[in-house]
Amino acid sequence: QLVESGGGLVQAGGSLRLSCAASGWTFKDYVIGWFRQAPGKEREGISCISFTDGKIYYADSVKGRFTISSDNPENTVHLQMNSLKPEDTAVYYCAAEGLGYGTTWTSVRAAFQSGDNDMEFWGKGTQVTVSS
């Protein structure tokens, strides 16, 4: 189980920090990341990080504004979101996919790039609303 926190309401140009923590297991050998889904739109994979070697992916829509980081001792992933825009309004979901047995960083990154919903674990989502 994944537990997200940190969503809320913020004005355009503001910042929010999302966190994702595991309940009952560790992130070792996993890729952890974030999807978001706005009303009427498909789910979009925006960023992920490998706990194995620190590789990171960002979607073009958030590159330069969002920063993903891992806190290994705390088994937590953070998404620092700066310069927020109204179009960032969405429900943000944390997701995790284990590496190994044919699952590689390349394949997981591709899943985030394509918005593939087939992740091993999901959080329940946290609402982010950016007002103009």
Side-chain angles (χ1 to χ4, degrees), residues 6 76 89 91 100 116:
T76 302
T89 295
V91 178
D116 187 348

Side-chain angles (χ1 to χ4, degrees), residues 5-78:
S5 61
L9 173 65
V10 65
Q11 289 188 331
S15 298
L16 283 173
R17 187 190 196 210
L18 304 183
S19 296
C20 174
S23 176
W25 53 284
T26 69
F27 285 164
K28 184 178 181 289
D29 298 328
Y30 275 81
V31 174
I32 313 296
W34 295 89
F35 288 78
R36 67 183 181 185
Q37 189 163 22
K41 294 189 176 181
E42 293 186 351
R43 192 168 293 190
E44 176 190 15
I46 58 173
S47 185
C48 61
I49 184 168
S50 168
F51 263 64
T52 300
D53 55 13
K55 290 179 180 176
I56 289 174
Y57 160 77
Y58 293 108
D60 288 343
S61 58
V62 305
K63 197 174 295 182
R65 300 187 298 122
F66 291 11
T67 302
I68 194 168
S69 61
S70 63
D71 185 342
N72 287 24
E74 296 296 325
N75 209 40
T76 302
V77 168
H78 304 290

